[in-house]
Amino acid sequence: SCHGWTARWWLASIVLLGLAVLGANGVPNKEGFGSPPYRPVVRFRHKVLITFFFHLLSVTRSPCPCEHKYCGLGRHCVVNHETGQGDCKCLDHCKPHYKPVCGSDGKLYQNHCELHRASCLRGRKITIMHSEECFYKDDNCRLSDYRRLKTKILELHDKRYMGSAVRGSHRDNMAAKKQLVDMMFKRFDADNSGQIDAGELSQVIKQEGLTKEKSECTLFDLLKYNDINDDEHLTKEEFYTAFDVYLLNLPDDQKVSVTTVTVGQSVVLTCAITGERRPPILWKRNHQYLNSLNLEDINDFGDDGSLYITKVTTTHMGNYTCHADGYEKLFQTHTLQVNVVKDVTR
């Protein structure tokens, strides 16, 4: 520590100030604090003392041994109290933040500091590698585990902080889910900055006792999967994305749509469910999903989620439903009517 060196410098300064104020005999003279009468022997002794204390001051005023000593990444300077010199040591710990990087040793580290600290502790050079294979190699939190964690976090906060009247409604009600996630964001954002960082996530982990969880995923994985702009913070929009909050809408007058088409023609059924970041649209008929059937006559759902049927026949008559992936409770019903043209030439 450099505090001891600073204290010695101040002590020496105070002693020298005292000598300047006191006379050569160590006490004020009769005239007060003026110069004492000329006495060669005393003056000589006084000069010796002054020289000694100037020497002491010059020693104590020397900069802290660590003041201008650079030790390199993953290391810091520590004053050796026995020698008075600054020694480079490996960092005891790094500031907690989750910004994973891959090392040339094939391991995944939580951040750059942890990588350099490991390099120091092992006495071998570890460089940063840009490799997706490495990124997921030692990271046991897979997407499926991550989804389970988020479901658990939602359930935990719903049970602990939401009123009994709305408890559990987030599972099939998007408005209720948004209300729950809004409450979570406000609670996670401890400093009310409008963003959530790793430190705030760490506090939530401690407060909720999540450190005892045996899951391979933690709340820090929110930054890995959902920090879209890569700034080590989560905005409310990114938080919405993480917990699948989509503000979907379907006007009441469009919940049922009737379309009439003639045999042999083609038809496009467009789903009226709208919303920012709307998930993919899924179509069903007779409780069976059409998207995965790869039918010849129903083979293109378009970028907007529309259902295309080519060369309509009477077999296509009936009801079709559409909903956003993951939100079956909000759906639109399309009733397809097919007209058969009679041959009037007969």
Side-chain angles (χ1 to χ4, degrees):
S1 172
C2 295
H3 297 299
W5 292 77
T6 305
R8 287 174 61 190
W9 185 87
W10 279 108
L11 178 60
S13 300
I14 292 170
V15 171
L16 286 172
L17 179 62
L19 285 172
V21 172
L22 295 176
N25 291 324
V27 293
N29 58 22
K30 294 180 180 180
E31 286 76 24
F33 293 94
S35 300
Y38 178 71
R39 293 177 184 174
V41 177
V42 174
R43 185 181 179 185
F44 173 75
R45 291 176 180 172
H46 181 69
K47 186 175 181 181
V48 170
L49 286 172
I50 291 293
T51 303
F52 169 75
F53 278 107
F54 265 112
H55 172 71
L56 176 62
L57 182 60
S58 67
V59 172
T60 55
R61 286 189 64 187
S62 62
C64 168
C66 288
E67 188 174 346
H68 301 295
K69 190 177 182 69
Y70 177 69
C71 292
L73 298 172
R75 301 155 69 90
H76 67 151
C77 181
V78 178
V79 177
N80 187 323
H81 295 291
E82 294 181 1
T83 64
Q85 300 299 312
D87 296 336
C88 288
K89 303 287 186 182
C90 297
L91 286 172
D92 297 322
H93 56 81
C94 294
K95 291 181 180 179
H97 72 276
Y98 191 73
K99 199 65 179 177
V101 291
C102 297
S104 55
D105 58 349
K107 293 184 178 297
L108 184 75
Y109 295 92
Q110 285 201 356
N111 49 58
H112 288 71
C113 176
E114 291 289 359
L115 180 145
H116 296 304
R117 178 173 176 267
S119 176
C120 176
L121 290 171
R122 295 173 193 168
R124 54 180 290 200
K125 186 176 181 180
I126 302 175
T127 57
I128 295 172
M129 303 289 288
H130 300 282
S131 164
E132 276 195 22
E133 182 182 352
C134 162
F135 189 85
Y136 291 104
K137 179 180 177 182
D138 287 343
D139 186 2
N140 294 321
C141 180
R142 295 293 185 261
L143 197 54
S144 57
D145 299 321
Y146 179 55
R147 286 172 180 156
R148 281 193 289 270
L149 170 73
K150 291 189 293 184
T151 299
K152 187 169 185 176
I153 295 299
L154 284 170
E155 295 291 342
L156 171 67
H157 285 80
D158 181 51
K159 182 179 179 180
R160 207 170 274 185
Y161 301 103
M162 300 301 286
S164 56
V166 296
R167 195 168 292 160
S169 55
H170 70 280
R171 299 186 193 101
D172 51 23
N173 185 305
M174 183 53 62
K177 188 173 187 179
K178 180 181 180 296
Q179 182 184 359
L180 173 60
V181 174
D182 280 341
M183 182 277 299
M184 288 169 55
F185 185 86
K186 186 175 180 180
R187 185 169 173 275
F188 283 32
D189 182 20
D191 61 0
N192 297 315
S193 65
Q195 298 183 108
I196 300 170
D197 60 25
E200 289 168 323
L201 291 174
S202 178
Q203 287 300 313
V204 174
I205 291 172
K206 291 177 183 177
Q207 292 166 3
E208 299 298 337
L210 298 175
T211 52
K212 301 175 184 178
E213 295 292 326
K214 295 181 180 179
S215 171
E216 299 292 351
C217 300
T218 71
L219 283 182
F220 291 124
D221 288 301
L222 289 168
L223 291 171
K224 183 181 83 173
Y225 283 107
N226 296 107
D227 179 16
I228 307 300
N229 60 359
D230 206 33
D231 66 348
E232 301 184 18
H233 291 79
L234 291 170
T235 63
K236 181 171 275 192
E237 285 302 313
E238 290 170 335
F239 204 66
Y240 279 165
T241 303
F243 289 97
D244 300 316
V245 173
Y246 300 101
L247 307 180
L248 305 178
N249 181 54
L250 176 62
D252 289 339
D253 60 353
Q254 294 188 47
K255 287 187 175 180
V256 177
S257 175
V258 179
T259 303
T260 302
V261 65
T262 301
V263 169
Q265 293 181 339
S266 297
V267 66
V268 179
L269 304 181
T270 301
C271 193
I273 296 174
T274 59
E276 188 177 351
R277 297 182 295 105
R278 185 189 69 179
I281 294 297
L282 301 179
W283 287 87
K284 292 172 72 174
R285 186 186 184 193
N286 299 326
H287 306 290
Q288 190 170 25
Y289 283 105
L290 302 176
N291 303 61
S292 58
L293 293 182
N294 196 26
L295 303 172
E296 289 186 6
D297 52 346
I298 307 176
N299 58 4
D300 190 352
F301 296 84
D303 293 335
D304 62 352
S306 297
L307 180 69
Y308 289 73
I309 303 177
T310 57
K311 295 183 180 180
V312 172
T313 68
T314 53
T315 60
H316 293 116
M317 293 176 60
N319 291 333
Y320 298 80
T321 63
C322 65
H323 67 83
D325 188 13
Y327 303 95
E328 294 186 47
K329 299 291 183 179
L330 184 68
F331 63 90
Q332 181 187 29
T333 300
H334 286 261
T335 299
L336 182 62
Q337 299 177 345
V338 178
N339 289 334
V340 179
V341 178
K342 295 181 179 179
D343 188 352
V344 295
T345 59
R346 290 185 181 181

